[in-house]
Amino acid sequence: MKLKQLKAEIKELFNLVETSFGRNSLSYQNLDYYLDVLVTVYEYNYDTEKDLLEELKNLLLKLSKEIPELEPEQFKENYQSINEMIQYLNDNLTD
């Protein structure tokens, strides 16, 4: 996966959440925090942040109730690189 594509999808996801909830919303701030840490984990293959991965999944599931584009099937289709990163981290991080 190309990091450039991942970053483009992350930017698009932030724009969607900002439009729906605002930049100062807790959802936006949580998304910013979780994705920042997870992208760093993904880039450097560091393996200590699995709890944040679960928090990100929970946040995306919660947001999907208000943002149709974030429903699980559409998320996989619209955010393939983010989905691939989440799957990679899920498969490779230690418990």
Side-chain angles (χ1 to χ4, degrees):
M1 171 188 19
K2 298 200 185 299
L3 193 56
K4 185 176 182 179
Q5 183 180 350
L6 177 63
K7 288 184 178 187
E9 288 182 12
I10 288 172
K11 183 177 180 181
E12 182 182 334
L13 181 57
F14 276 124
N15 288 338
L16 184 61
V17 174
E18 181 179 4
T19 300
S20 299
F21 297 99
R23 184 177 286 263
N24 294 323
S25 69
L26 184 58
S27 295
Y28 186 93
Q29 291 170 16
N30 284 344
L31 186 65
D32 185 34
Y33 176 71
Y34 300 145
L35 278 173
D36 181 50
V37 172
L38 290 171
V39 167
T40 302
V41 168
Y42 182 73
E43 288 175 343
Y44 297 102
N45 296 312
Y46 189 65
D47 64 352
T48 62
E49 302 296 339
K50 192 163 188 171
D51 56 320
L52 290 177
L53 182 61
E54 195 60 39
E55 291 297 320
L56 176 64
K57 289 178 184 178
N58 291 337
L59 176 64
L60 292 172
L61 189 60
K62 180 180 170 186
L63 292 176
S64 73
K65 294 174 183 170
E66 298 192 44
I67 305 175
E69 295 89 341
L70 299 182
E71 290 176 358
E73 287 306 311
Q74 286 195 17
F75 184 83
K76 285 182 187 177
E77 187 176 316
N78 294 330
Y79 300 97
Q80 294 174 4
S81 295
I82 295 174
N83 192 65
E84 189 177 319
M85 177 189 72
I86 290 170
Q87 189 60 48
Y88 171 86
L89 292 169
N90 200 42
D91 292 344
N92 292 292
L93 293 183
T94 58
D95 287 301

